[in-house]
Amino acid sequence: MAIANDTDKNNSDVGKVSNHGFSLVEVLMVTLIIIVLAAIGIPSLMSMVRGLRTAGDARDLNGTIMQAKMRASSDFARTRLYADLSANTFRIEILPSGSAGWTPDCTGTGSCNQFLSRGVSFGYGSLTSPPTNTQSALAQAPACKDDTGIADIANTACIIFNSRGIPVSPGNSPYPSPTPDDAIYVTDGKSVTGVTVALTGLSRVWRTEATGANWKQQ
């Protein structure tokens, strides 16, 4: 009789699921692992996001520069990339032959300005050396001129193309000098990305860490 009772007891336990949960130690261990993985991964993720932002802005600037160059040739006019270094915006402006002043080149009723990404600004930090075989000295493109062609517009940089798509110096001269030193640089504080324009009008995109000028063409 005793043996039968034990068998019945064992059979009644078959199929039952334990209701025991995780212990406090197990929960703390999993939490600690998650915190460690986050501490390792989040800085790398943020660095990658910043790099994507600066790279995207550089591509936008390069595309706008090329658009300005083509527009100059197609319209037989001077065009320029106008960068507002304080507002972190840029746009294309055009000066048709015989016109009294520069006008933004865009359609619609909205702003013609394009904005840099959040956390990105014009500049090159503490760097002092330009990319190889580009500028004679590291600098943003010259300041934009007002409609008189004489006075500089503060906190601006302009890359100007003549009607043949050649980068030229700012001013109101009917025959401005070609210039090989034009460039626009943006930074997120960790890296610097720049677009340089050669004497032929060829543009190239470069990138380096902000800690040292080790430029790599993109």
Side-chain angles (χ1 to χ4, degrees):
M1 183 64 68
I3 295 175
N5 288 339
D6 289 342
T7 302
D8 293 340
K9 180 178 180 181
N10 291 337
N11 290 338
S12 65
D13 290 336
V14 176
K16 289 187 177 180
V17 178
S18 173
N19 291 325
H20 294 299
F22 294 108
S23 68
L24 178 60
V25 173
E26 290 172 328
V27 172
L28 290 176
M29 288 181 64
V30 172
T31 303
L32 180 60
I33 291 172
I34 293 174
I35 292 174
V36 170
L37 292 176
I40 295 173
I42 289 178
S44 298
L45 176 62
M46 295 304 296
S47 178
M48 182 179 69
V49 169
R50 286 194 298 265
L52 291 174
R53 285 175 177 170
T54 54
D57 287 337
R59 286 194 298 269
D60 290 344
L61 281 164
N62 188 42
T64 303
I65 289 170
M66 291 297 93
Q67 184 181 351
K69 175 185 175 181
M70 291 186 292
R71 187 63 190 272
S73 300
S74 64
D75 287 9
F76 203 70
R78 289 189 203 178
T79 60
R80 68 184 183 183
L81 171 80
Y82 181 103
D84 188 325
L85 305 183
S86 297
N88 291 324
T89 61
F90 59 96
R91 64 176 180 263
I92 294 177
E93 292 187 340
I94 187 168
L95 182 67
S97 180
S99 176
W102 294 90
T103 57
D105 181 37
C106 64
T107 58
T109 58
S111 173
C112 297
N113 292 325
Q114 298 184 60
F115 290 83
L116 298 181
S117 301
R118 185 177 60 182
V120 180
S121 60
F122 289 107
Y124 41 81
S126 60
L127 298 180
T128 57
S129 300
T132 304
N133 298 323
T134 57
Q135 298 177 290
S136 56
L138 181 65
Q140 300 281 25
C144 305
K145 299 290 186 180
D146 63 10
D147 288 341
T148 67
I150 299 174
D152 290 343
I153 302 176
N155 299 316
T156 62
C158 270
I159 297 177
I160 306 172
F161 294 97
N162 64 14
S163 59
R164 293 178 295 169
I166 301 298
V168 295
S169 59
N172 57 0
S173 169
Y175 304 104
S177 302
T179 175
D181 275 355
D182 283 337
I184 297 290
Y185 297 95
V186 296
T187 181
D188 61 1
K190 299 294 184 180
S191 63
V192 179
T193 306
V195 182
T196 60
V197 182
L199 190 60
T200 60
L202 173 68
S203 66
R204 290 176 291 178
V205 179
W206 306 82
R207 184 183 183 279
T208 182
E209 296 301 316
T211 54
N214 183 26
W215 296 101
K216 302 294 184 182
Q217 187 173 347
Q218 302 300 291

